[in-house]
Amino acid sequence: MNAPSSVYIVGAGPGDPDLLTIKAARLLKEAEVVVFDRLVSEEILELVPAGTTRIFAGKAARDHHMPQEEINEVLGSLAKSGRKVVRLKGGDPFIFGRGSEESLYLAKNNIPVEIVPGITASAGCGSYAGIPLTHRGLATGVRFVTGHCREGKHLDLNWQSLADPETTLVIYMGLINVAKIRDELIKAGLPADTPAGAIERGTTAEQRTILTTLEELPACIEKAELKAPSLLIIGRVVQ
């Protein structure tokens, strides 16, 4: 039996194909199979050569096309077939991308795996919207938080810790729970007039950005009818 091929878990960035790393672009051209997520843009998928096998493993909130356990097994099976496999994930694989779960599964099954980092949504979308994540005198640090909770679970975060006016708060997958996020942060002491923004489809031609306050954030998102993928940024840097 031949030794399994390597699986490359590659970050595709937030959408703009120009933000792909040189290594990611090279691996896409060399891949025999590309297993990709819903958040990978069409412009990036167009860089995959014709004839390369593509497998959609997309997941959206409350709508899993392929459960994570099945994705793990597919990656393992493809690698054991000897083909060069690229697992293409939106943003960075290790920032709310579940790349660590996939790499652990592969490693436990003695399948070589390599992680190729990508520009995460917070950096890419913030830059394209003109919002710095840190700025002297406004923010001494950044917190990355997921606003999405597992099925059947409540969003249980350390709100007291997050309600720090000196810190920029970046919330991935926060649209569904934006009202609760607003309420809990204000209850924990973050001023209601703290600047806040939401960025839909950041770095793409369809990007939309709204700028408001923490208190008005849910209403503004509803009025603008923002859809996923959207990123929330809360903190004085938004001003």
Side-chain angles (χ1 to χ4, degrees):
M1 183 176 177
N2 294 329
S5 63
S6 294
V7 174
Y8 297 88
I9 301 180
V10 177
D16 184 346
D18 284 345
L19 296 181
L20 280 173
T21 63
I22 293 172
K23 186 169 188 176
R26 174 176 59 80
L27 288 170
L28 283 182
K29 291 177 182 176
E30 297 174 353
E32 295 172 276
V33 185
V34 175
V35 182
F36 65 97
D37 276 350
R38 180 182 64 90
L39 293 178
V40 176
S41 69
E42 284 297 325
E43 291 81 3
I44 289 174
L45 289 174
E46 287 172 4
L47 300 177
V48 178
T52 302
T53 301
R54 302 183 190 189
I55 298 174
F56 176 62
K59 296 193 292 294
R62 300 172 181 170
D63 179 19
H64 287 206
H65 179 81
M66 188 183 293
Q68 187 62 53
E69 294 75 17
E70 187 177 341
I71 294 173
N72 295 345
E73 292 169 3
V74 165
L75 293 175
S77 176
L78 290 169
K80 288 174 182 176
S81 74
R83 288 179 284 180
K84 187 169 185 176
V85 182
V86 166
R87 171 69 169 116
L88 193 59
K89 306 179 76 68
D92 180 88
F94 275 4
I95 299 183
F96 302 125
R98 304 189 76 169
S100 54
E101 295 175 42
E102 294 169 1
S103 59
L104 279 171
Y105 173 87
L106 294 168
K108 286 177 181 177
N109 285 275
N110 299 311
I111 295 168
V113 60
E114 184 174 332
I115 310 299
V116 181
I119 292 178
T120 187
S122 56
C125 299
S127 294
Y128 275 52
I131 301 173
L133 298 185
T134 63
H135 186 87
R136 188 168 59 176
L138 294 180
T140 58
V142 186
R143 294 280 297 273
F144 297 158
V145 181
T146 175
H148 176 65
C149 45
R150 295 184 180 182
E151 287 185 37
K153 303 286 185 181
H154 294 292
L155 188 61
D156 186 20
L157 302 174
N158 186 338
W159 301 108
Q160 205 68 42
S161 171
L162 294 175
D164 177 8
E166 302 294 326
T167 299
T168 302
L169 190 58
V170 180
I171 303 174
Y172 291 68
M173 300 168 285
L175 282 190
I176 290 175
N177 291 308
V178 64
K180 178 177 176 59
I181 291 166
R182 184 268 315 271
D183 293 344
E184 294 291 348
L185 287 173
I186 292 175
K187 190 190 304 182
L190 194 63
D193 63 356
T194 299
I199 307 163
E200 177 188 272
R201 298 189 177 279
T203 80
T204 72
E206 292 80 37
Q207 175 175 317
R208 292 197 294 156
T209 304
I210 61 170
L211 303 176
T212 182
T213 64
L214 175 59
E215 184 172 34
E216 297 297 324
L217 186 60
C220 287
I221 287 173
E222 183 177 2
K223 183 178 179 180
E225 298 182 341
L226 291 195
K227 302 288 191 296
S230 289
L231 188 81
L232 310 181
I233 302 180
I234 300 167
R236 293 187 300 214
V237 294
V238 176
Q239 73 193 25

